Amino acid sequence: MKLREIAHSRTGDKGNISNISVIAYDAKHYPLLLEQVTAVRVKAHFAGVVQGEVVRYELPNLSALNFVMDHALGGGVTRSLALDAHGKSLSSALLDLDIVLAPDGK
Amino acid sequence: MRTIRIGSGAGYSGDRIEPAIELAEKGDIQYLVFECLGERTVALAQQARMKNPDGGFDPLLEERMRAVLPVCAAKGIKIVTNMGAANPEAAARKTAEIAKSLGLPSLKVAAIVGDDVLDACKAGDLPIMEFDGTIKQLGNRLLSANAYLGAEPMAQALAAGADVVITGRASDPALFLAPMIHAFGWAMDDWNLLGQGTVAGHLLECAGQITGGYFADPGYKDVADLARLGFPIGEVGEDGSLVVTKVARSGGAVTAQTCKEQLLYEVHDPTKYFQPDVVADFSQVRIEEIGPDRVRVSGGRGKKRTDTLKVSVGYVDSYIGEGQISYAGPGALARGRLALEIVRERLKLTNVAASELRFELVGVDSLHGPEVSARAGEPYEVRVRVAGRTENLREAIRIGNEVETLYTNGPAAGGGAWKSARDVVAVASVLLPRELAKPQIRFVGA
């Protein structure tokens, strides 16, 4: 299953730093996000894009995670050579992550 | 408990104007806020002001003011905006002139000045946060330095009777916090109230992004009537309580999901959202749907503000040259790849001096590069794109030229070539001791 089935997401940008929220549609899937959508996995998913550190913040009240990715925007929106200088499309790319559901469907 | 209703009439400079008119006419609001200033916009506006001393404010200011001033004046709705960009006083004069021409000569228009801190920054030679270096090292490439001002001067202008308050660089949430401070008399050191108000401001600042704009994903996140997307209203109580809603029967949707996406938008550590007025803490925020298009948001908190203000420094960073050309039909991908290889080699052969280059196939790997895009199948058409960074305009022009000449010197059937070369006004940040920025209120007579 893809992350897209259980979570939604949006990207923001400040300078050369991109942040991606990952928000469970249903609070019951938050533990799954905690367990499987790790900073290490996100960094690996964006190999070739994110040059710096990836830090994960947890927001249990919102059933959400927030990933802050350093050196992710080719120098930042004001000087990037990229078509998507803001990195707005990164959120959709992250929703392509594979998620394994436990046998009981949780 | 007293409650005010604040409408968000724009989330960026080029935003649609119809939803703001709808808010003024049907939103039952007391305040209409237009957030129109992006990270880099002030630096570009400073360049415009150098060419024209009466310019340098938002290009859509006149159109927006003409559209909303009559109804706002009739209903007593106060307007707060950062459309002043690099020239709030000229923007205020223009607004007063428009008010007069609309038969509203008694409208009070205030400009907040003092965000321009170029001299103070130069004097202190502050270190730049994004890279190793100081302001002095930017030399004559330095264009502008504007501090993110807080809500206080805007709230004072409202208290002094302003109908329209026009700022330059101010923090986006502060545009919304100012009416709350004014209406409820919040103390400037009541950190939890200021924190909760900042939550409200942050949720409202991007206008349509919380009412379903920038949210729809068919089959997963469906949004009704996006073409008629309405902009948000924040119902804020004097205790900082917040309900986000929108004009009845406007398009879009306010849901827990749209609010959560907006809450985390452009946030790093949710326990420390640095603002000029407060360090807001979003970590305990609760979001609940209490009715159709009605979402209650609570639990925002705050800590004491820092002794420094963030300053955006605009500077000429480099030049970017770019060229594009398309290939279609069988073998399009192979011809596109060949085209990239040819340009790569020619840029070397002709010694084009670029410090950074991108070679990509639009529709194949242009957004996230070849590794992430490896799953994609072969497309019917591809667009070749080469972009590079150079030290001067002449070198930048040469990059686009090497793409355009693929017409008669490259693979078969290339079409739709396009090229450009431009200077890059980039933005970096410094932290300035708070007392070195001295905001002032200037009323402009109509």
Side-chain angles (χ1 to χ4, degrees):
Chain A
M1 186 183 70
K2 294 292 187 186
L3 179 57
R4 188 184 184 200
E5 303 295 328
I6 58 168
H8 57 112
S9 176
R10 185 187 291 170
T11 314
D13 68 285
K14 277 202 197 300
N16 201 10
I17 300 171
S18 172
N19 85 289
I20 308 185
S21 60
V22 175
I23 307 161
Y25 284 108
D26 189 324
K28 77 175 183 194
H29 288 132
Y30 181 64
L32 211 57
L33 300 185
L34 271 180
E35 182 200 353
Q36 295 188 34
V37 190
T38 60
V40 172
R41 263 194 97 188
V42 169
K43 172 135 172 132
H45 191 73
F46 287 120
V49 178
V50 176
Q51 310 298 328
E53 197 188 359
V54 175
V55 177
R56 183 177 87 169
Y57 295 98
E58 298 164 10
L59 294 112
N61 284 343
L62 306 176
S63 306
L65 302 173
N66 189 37
F67 293 90
V68 179
M69 314 194 296
D70 204 4
H71 287 85
L73 296 173
V77 60
T78 57
R79 63 189 302 272
S80 172
L81 296 181
L83 269 183
D84 180 10
H86 292 89
K88 299 271 191 187
S89 63
L90 290 165
S91 56
S92 293
L94 186 58
L95 292 179
D96 200 36
L97 209 66
D98 287 311
I99 296 292
V100 182
L101 273 186
D104 60 0
K106 280 184 184 165
Chain B
M1 183 179 63
R2 289 181 58 221
T3 299
I4 56 172
R5 287 166 64 91
I6 308 175
S8 177
Y12 79 103
S13 172
D15 214 339
R16 295 164 58 234
I17 293 180
E18 300 76 21
I21 302 171
E22 183 178 52
L23 278 172
E25 287 177 344
K26 302 177 189 165
D28 190 23
I29 55 173
Q30 291 87 49
Y31 299 91
L32 181 57
V33 178
F34 293 96
E35 194 291 287
C36 297
L37 212 47
E39 229 182 15
R40 160 174 71 165
T41 325
V42 190
L44 294 173
Q46 293 281 14
Q47 281 187 309
R49 186 181 179 174
M50 284 174 208
K51 289 175 192 147
N52 171 14
D54 289 325
F57 56 83
D58 190 278
L60 284 181
L61 175 127
E62 181 161 0
E63 201 178 330
R64 285 204 175 93
M65 290 298 179
R66 282 197 183 283
V68 300
L69 278 185
V71 57
C72 286
K75 295 189 173 190
I77 300 168
K78 310 281 187 190
I79 295 172
V80 180
T81 180
N82 54 12
M83 276 192 279
N87 203 345
E89 271 192 289
R93 282 197 301 273
K94 173 58 91 178
T95 302
E97 192 184 302
I98 293 165
K100 201 173 170 188
S101 76
L102 292 169
L104 307 164
S106 60
L107 209 71
K108 289 184 81 174
V109 183
I112 310 294
V113 299
D115 62 303
D116 186 335
V117 290
L118 188 57
D119 293 339
C121 283
K122 279 180 178 168
D125 196 27
L126 300 159
I128 289 163
M129 292 165 77
E130 284 82 359
F131 49 86
D132 287 333
T134 66
I135 293 242
K136 276 208 172 63
Q137 284 161 3
L138 292 173
N140 59 9
R141 294 190 297 146
L142 179 64
L143 293 174
S144 64
N146 292 81
Y148 281 83
L149 299 180
E152 201 163 12
M154 291 183 269
Q156 286 167 350
L158 289 169
D163 297 298
V164 182
V165 180
I166 301 180
T167 74
R169 181 81 280 164
S171 98
D172 297 350
L175 300 172
F176 296 86
L177 194 53
M180 301 174 210
I181 291 165
H182 165 61
F184 303 134
W186 288 352
M188 291 308 295
D189 62 355
D190 194 328
W191 310 120
N192 280 331
L193 277 180
L194 297 177
Q196 178 66 28
T198 295
V199 169
H202 179 65
L203 287 173
L204 296 169
E205 69 176 76
C206 293
Q209 273 197 183
I210 199 171
T211 49
Y214 210 70
F215 180 80
D217 191 355
Y220 288 81
K221 298 188 293 179
D222 290 302
V223 180
D225 210 4
L226 259 183
R228 293 195 318 110
L229 182 71
F231 283 0
I233 297 165
E235 296 177 357
V236 186
E238 60 190 328
D239 63 349
S241 60
L242 170 71
V243 174
V244 183
T245 184
K246 65 184 184 71
V247 176
R249 287 176 296 284
S250 61
V254 180
T255 67
Q257 291 169 14
T258 65
C259 290
K260 286 180 183 180
E261 282 195 15
Q262 181 59 28
L263 185 76
L264 293 178
Y265 180 64
E266 292 183 337
V267 167
H268 293 169
D269 182 344
T271 66
K272 294 186 195 74
Y273 187 65
F274 290 99
Q275 288 293 301
D277 299 300
V278 61
V279 180
D281 180 353
F282 293 179
S283 65
Q284 303 304 314
V285 167
R286 295 183 174 277
I287 288 177
E288 46 187 330
E289 295 180 4
I290 56 172
D293 295 317
R294 288 185 68 77
V295 175
R296 179 186 289 142
V297 182
S298 58
R301 301 186 304 186
K303 293 183 278 274
K304 187 177 188 299
R305 67 190 197 182
T306 58
D307 294 332
T308 52
L309 292 176
K310 184 175 159 184
V311 174
S312 278
V313 174
Y315 65 99
V316 178
D317 175 88
S318 53
Y319 293 79
I320 291 180
E322 183 179 346
Q324 299 183 4
I325 191 166
S326 286
Y327 297 89
L333 187 55
R335 280 176 285 134
R337 289 210 165 106
L338 176 59
L340 286 183
E341 280 318 302
I342 291 168
V343 174
R344 196 191 296 269
E345 203 170 331
R346 282 193 185 137
L347 290 174
K348 271 188 206 149
L349 288 172
T350 56
N351 296 312
V352 171
S355 59
E356 194 184 334
L357 284 166
R358 275 178 87 114
F359 299 88
E360 52 205 20
L361 298 171
V362 176
V364 179
D365 65 12
S366 73
L367 290 178
H368 305 137
E371 290 172 65
V372 179
S373 313
R375 280 183 291 270
E378 179 148 349
Y380 172 78
E381 60 168 60
V382 297
R383 189 154 179 86
V384 162
R385 176 176 186 263
V386 179
R389 188 186 315 287
T390 63
E391 280 290 307
N392 61 55
L393 187 62
R394 199 180 61 87
E395 293 296 298
I397 289 169
R398 294 173 68 193
I399 292 171
N401 288 350
E402 291 295 1
V403 177
E404 187 190 56
T405 58
L406 289 168
Y407 263 143
T408 52
N409 299 264
W418 170 93
K419 62 180 176 180
S420 80
R422 59 186 172 88
D423 63 342
V424 179
V425 173
V427 169
S429 315
V430 298
L431 294 176
L432 182 76
R434 177 180 288 280
E435 62 276 9
L436 295 182
K438 297 182 179 69
Q440 286 183 304
I441 305 163
R442 302 226 174 116
F443 276 91
V444 175

